[in-house]
Amino acid sequence: MKSVPFTDKFEKLFDNEDMLSMYNIPDESACLLKAHLILEDLITLYCSKLSDVEDLFSGVFVPFKTKLVISRNMGLHIDAYKILDKVNDIRNKFSHRKRHKLEDSQIEGLRVQVNSFLADANITPCEEFKLSVKGKDQHGTPSEKVHDWTSSEPRLKFIILFMNLMVRLVWWIQNEFKGKNIDYAMLPIKFT
């Protein structure tokens, strides 16, 4: 199984604690909210680096949707925009409907969108992407769980999908930054 290492700059955006909290909490809404916050941080990073402002949105509340539109206007890939907009719509359903659950159709629709985003970049599709979590069990014994698409519940499918999306977004953003001579490498990727 091939793993994707993240550099320290990427870890500031998405650290192991974020991943583990998404994994360990069984509540779908908390999992989705954490993912939404991470995506918002990524949008802020993208816009801030392009504008050469440390935090373009500091000092005022700017809703996710507004940040997303601004990032699209600053050059965010249209497919990334559509995926992030869909995640925002799903997150809003959780915010405004008690007992809302991730629906298979939402997960499947996102899977298709994520797999299509940068399809020529040779990134493993969601249904082949595996989520591996290492730690210790309740007895202190080292343990590893590997989740795949077909055997996972909707929340775990969302995490697999989210991780796959993050790899794609980071790859694309890093490539964009390189093309604009912005010095900010998140992944140790060589561009051809």
Side-chain angles (χ1 to χ4, degrees), residues 121-138:
N122 199 26
I123 298 172
T124 304
C126 294
E127 59 275 9
E128 295 175 26
F129 206 81
K130 296 195 183 332
L131 174 63
S132 173
V133 181
K134 295 179 183 179
K136 294 184 179 184
D137 66 16
Q138 66 271 23

Side-chain angles (χ1 to χ4, degrees), residues 27-40 43 61-65 68 82-103 106-107 110 158 162:
D27 181 54
E28 289 179 349
S29 61
C31 178
L32 200 80
L33 179 59
K34 179 68 78 171
H36 191 267
L37 290 169
I38 293 165
L39 292 171
E40 188 167 9
I43 292 169
F61 172 72
V62 181
F64 183 93
K65 180 71 173 196
L68 185 57
K82 290 176 182 177
I83 294 166
L84 297 177
D85 193 38
K86 182 68 170 174
V87 170
N88 190 50
D89 287 343
I90 294 169
R91 179 247 175 229
N92 286 341
K93 287 179 182 173
F94 276 98
S95 296
H96 302 290
R97 297 180 187 161
K98 290 183 348 182
R99 295 184 219 36
H100 183 73
K101 297 285 183 200
L102 278 170
E103 300 165 6
Q106 292 171 323
I107 296 290
L110 277 173
F158 178 79
F162 173 74

Side-chain angles (χ1 to χ4, degrees), residues 134-162:
K134 295 179 183 179
K136 294 184 179 184
D137 66 16
Q138 66 271 23
H139 307 292
T141 306
S143 176
E144 178 180 10
K145 288 187 178 184
V146 178
H147 302 278
D148 64 18
W149 187 263
T150 56
S151 64
S152 292
E153 62 174 281
R155 182 184 58 86
L156 292 174
K157 282 184 178 180
F158 178 79
I159 295 171
I160 292 169
L161 186 146
F162 173 74

Side-chain angles (χ1 to χ4, degrees), residues 55-85:
D55 183 352
L56 184 63
F57 303 114
S58 68
V60 64
F61 172 72
V62 181
F64 183 93
K65 180 71 173 196
T66 303
K67 289 180 181 180
L68 185 57
V69 170
I70 290 169
S71 69
R72 183 195 62 202
N73 292 343
M74 293 179 79
L76 181 67
H77 194 290
I78 191 65
D79 291 340
Y81 171 83
K82 290 176 182 177
I83 294 166
L84 297 177
D85 193 38

